[in-house]
Structures are given as structure tokens and as C-alpha cells.
């Protein structure tokens, strides 16, 4: 079993360096998505580790966007995160702002799902329900093909992420929508309470 900081320490670190509700919402979403994936892919014993990496993957982004994934190790060291945790966090920026390549399944999932959660979140906000609960893969694929929609979400990273996992783009989309459905209400509640 991998060791990770307890959630209170992780949340305190996130809040220390992140004040924008958008960034906190993204962190909480990726935390929930990573926990779902850990359980779904047979890594339930490490679900807390997967979730904590998801929560803290962008810990340095709001204050140091130019040093994203470079400042993170120093911040994560504040709460005693180990090398495997730091490697996992830094690997999600591979090819963009980091030369740390995603190695194990958890890192590949984070790499693939991080950008996709942004796209799904943006698509959900456009729906009458303002939710991903009733979102279908077919409607998400239309948004994916529209390069102007949520232009900040890299389609290339999402495609590469699916390939690294050996999944089709549709599989990655379907799984990530399911994962986001499981945490959407809790994330909305937490953000409303900020």
C-alpha cells in the first residue's frame, strides 16, 4: 500500500496555494475521479493515494503557472509527500511542462483524465441540467471535435492519454463521465461552501 498525506493535510496545502474556486473545483473533481478509477481498475487498497495525487496535481498552478510541475515538489515536501507521490504529480504535465513520463497505470490515468475532466465540466455547464449525470459519450465527442469549445483542454493530451492506457477515446470518455457522476454532487457542495 502506498503512503500519502492525510486528506486534511492535503486539503490545507491545496487551500494554502489556491484561492480560485475554479481551481479548487478542478482539484476536488480530479480527486473524486482518481478515487473512482482506483476502485474500478482493481487498486482499491491505494484509492487514498490515487485520490490525494488527484487533489494535489495542480497545487502549484494557480500561483506559479510558468513553473507548473517544477514548483510542485517543493510544495508537496511541506507535508512530507514521498518520491512516488511527487513523481505521480509531476508526470501529469509530461510533454507540456514536465519531462517526468507517466510510468504506472495510476500516472497514465491522471495524465489522460486530467484534461478530459475539464472538457466534461465545460460541456456539463452548457447542458440544461448543468450536470454530467445525463451526458452521453456522443454529445461529448461533438464537443471534443469542436476545437473552439473549451479550447484550453488539449485534445492531443486526451488522445495520447487514451493510447497510453490502451483504451479507445470512447472508453476513456465513458469511464471519466461515470467517474465524474460519482463525485459531482459532493464537489458542487464543497465549492458552494468555500
Amino acid at each position: 500500500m502506498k503512503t500519502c498525506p492525510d486528506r486534511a493535510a492535503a486539503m490545507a496545502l491545496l487551500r494554502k496555494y489556491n484561492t480560485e474556486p475554479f481551481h479548487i473545483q478542478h482539484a476536488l473533481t480530479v480527486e473524486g475521479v482518481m478515487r473512482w478509477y482506483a476502485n474500478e481498475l482493481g487498486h482499491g487498497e491505494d484509492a487514498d493515494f490515487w485520490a490525494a495525487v488527484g487533489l494535489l496535481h495542480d497545487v502549484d498552478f494557480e500561483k506559479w503557472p510558468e513553473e507548473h510541475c517544477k514548483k510542485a515538489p517543493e510544495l508537496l515536501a511541506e507535508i512530507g509527500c514521498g518520491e512516488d507521490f511527487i513523481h505521480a504529480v509531476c508526470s501529469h504535465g509530461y510533454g507540456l511542462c514536465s519531462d517526468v513520463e507517466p510510468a504506472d497505470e495510476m500516472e497514465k490515468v491522471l495524465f489522460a483524465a486530467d484534461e478530459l475532466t475539464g472538457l466534461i465540466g465545460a460541456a456539463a455547464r452548457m447542458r440544461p441540467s448543468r450536470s454530467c449525470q445525463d451526458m452521453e459519450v456522443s454529445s461529448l465527442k461533438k464537443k471534443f471535435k469542436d476545437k473552439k469549445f473549451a479550447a484550453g483542454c488539449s485534445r492531443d493530451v486526451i488522445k495520447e492519454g487514451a493510447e497510453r492506457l490502451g483504451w479507445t477515446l470512447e472508453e476513456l470518455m465513458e469511464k471519466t463521465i461515470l467517474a465524474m457522476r460519482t463525485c459531482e454532487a459532493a464537489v458542487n457542495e464543497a465549492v458552494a461552501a468555500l
Side-chain angles (χ1 to χ4, degrees), residues 53-84:
V53 168
L55 183 67
L56 293 175
H57 77 286
D58 278 348
V59 69
D60 61 0
F61 186 74
E62 186 178 312
K63 288 203 182 332
W64 299 278
E66 301 304 313
E67 291 180 69
H68 184 36
C69 294
K70 306 217 173 17
K71 189 82 176 165
E74 174 190 329
L75 306 183
L76 296 170
E78 289 181 29
I79 58 169
C81 295
E83 280 305 310
D84 54 348

Side-chain angles (χ1 to χ4, degrees), residues 68-69 88-100 111 114:
H68 184 36
C69 294
V89 165
C90 294
S91 73
H92 88 276
Y94 181 68
L96 300 170
C97 57
S98 168
D99 56 6
V100 178
F111 181 86
D114 174 33

Side-chain angles (χ1 to χ4, degrees), residues 1 4-5 35 38 44-53 85:
M1 208 160 109
C4 64
R35 180 176 298 285
E45 73 285 356
D46 287 324
D48 289 344
F49 183 88
W50 286 49
V53 168
F85 193 97

